[in-house]
Amino acid sequence: MATGAALATGLGLLSLPAQAQAQTTQYGDLLTDHVVAINETVSDAGFVHPGVGLTADDLRSAQEMARAGQEPWASYFAAMADTAFASTTYRASNSKSAAEPDVPLDPTFVQVGMRNRETNDSFGALTQALMWTVTGDEVYRRNAIQALRTWANMDPTKYAYFPDAHIHTGHPLYQFLMAAEIIRATDPVDDDTPASTAATTSPGPTRTTRTCSRTSPTPWWRRSCSPTSGG
């Protein structure tokens, strides 16, 4: 159900207002007043971001319909929000600790057990990214980035083939990329934390974003140029 809120965009069905209201009551307390903007960009090579699995239009439609309680988006989102992957306290299974949430517990990738962790954590990262997109609650953005960073910090010299790796590891990677694309296409909530700014240009309007300096007083998950949103 992690992709349910977004994948329901392809079903094109609407419910009666009374049904919509009934569904919204299941998760209405999760929604904030902040409506996350989804920014579409085009690379020099012509690739449209977000474009892995979901487009900007897919995300905007899912966001609008889930927030309005329209079916089938509402039921998909309610089911997703009810899973452990959607918890505000979510942490990747390969995360070392709550104190070091983006450090891998195991930086190697040489056996089936790590594939299972990859599957769970990619599902969690995608779920958290979708929860952020729909609810506007920045804790989900933070959790998604932490999960992505955990796996980005794996040791590339400690990878080795194991049975069926070529079959089972591709889809979790795809889900990580979907989550990263969502984070890349969205900005953190504006705040009053003092920080220097730098203009970044891309096809479309120029956006002013916070610096990525590690000495910036802005919490790292609020910096638009976090590692998962660059490139």
Side-chain angles (χ1 to χ4, degrees):
M1 287 297 182
T3 57
L7 295 183
T9 58
L11 299 180
L13 302 175
L14 297 177
S15 65
L16 296 175
Q19 294 172 306
Q21 184 176 7
Q23 285 293 343
T24 308
T25 58
Q26 297 183 37
Y27 56 81
D29 59 331
L30 299 177
L31 304 179
T32 69
D33 292 335
H34 177 65
V35 179
V36 176
I38 293 109
N39 307 300
E40 184 177 275
T41 59
V42 182
S43 72
D44 292 340
F47 189 88
V48 179
H49 297 279
V52 178
L54 299 167
T55 66
D57 285 343
D58 290 334
L59 292 166
R60 291 178 189 131
S61 179
Q63 178 192 66
E64 178 183 357
M65 295 303 177
R67 289 181 69 90
Q70 295 284 4
E71 291 293 358
W73 298 269
S75 292
Y76 273 97
F77 182 75
M80 180 180 73
D82 197 39
T83 68
F85 293 108
S87 171
T88 55
T89 59
Y90 171 80
R91 184 163 59 87
S93 63
N94 198 37
S95 167
K96 184 175 181 179
S97 66
E100 298 179 284
D102 54 359
V103 175
L105 177 65
D106 184 347
T108 71
F109 202 84
V110 297
Q111 44 90 14
V112 173
M114 290 305 295
R115 184 256 293 174
N116 293 335
R117 285 188 190 178
E118 180 198 25
T119 298
N120 285 331
D121 291 352
S122 67
F123 206 65
L126 180 55
T127 299
Q128 291 287 316
L130 290 170
M131 291 295 295
W132 150 244
T133 302
V134 174
T135 69
D137 188 338
E138 205 168 33
V139 70
Y140 297 116
R141 173 186 167 87
R142 180 196 64 192
N143 294 342
I145 294 176
Q146 285 177 340
L148 290 167
R149 283 185 168 183
T150 295
W151 286 86
N153 287 329
M154 298 287 283
D155 187 341
T157 68
K158 295 180 180 178
Y159 278 61
Y161 181 81
F162 52 84
D164 293 336
H166 63 291
I167 298 175
H168 297 294
T169 59
H171 189 69
L173 175 60
Y174 174 64
Q175 292 184 150
F176 273 132
L177 293 175
M178 290 175 70
E181 280 280 88
I182 293 171
I183 298 300
R184 183 186 194 278
T186 57
D187 289 327
V189 179
D190 289 336
D191 68 84
D192 297 326
T193 306
S196 60
T197 58
T200 58
T201 57
S202 59
T206 298
R207 301 214 308 273
T208 300
T209 59
R210 291 184 180 276
T211 177
C212 281
S213 171
R214 288 189 176 275
T215 61
S216 168
T218 306
W220 58 261
W221 65 86
R222 281 193 151 171
R223 300 173 203 163
S224 298
C225 47
S226 58
T228 52
S229 59

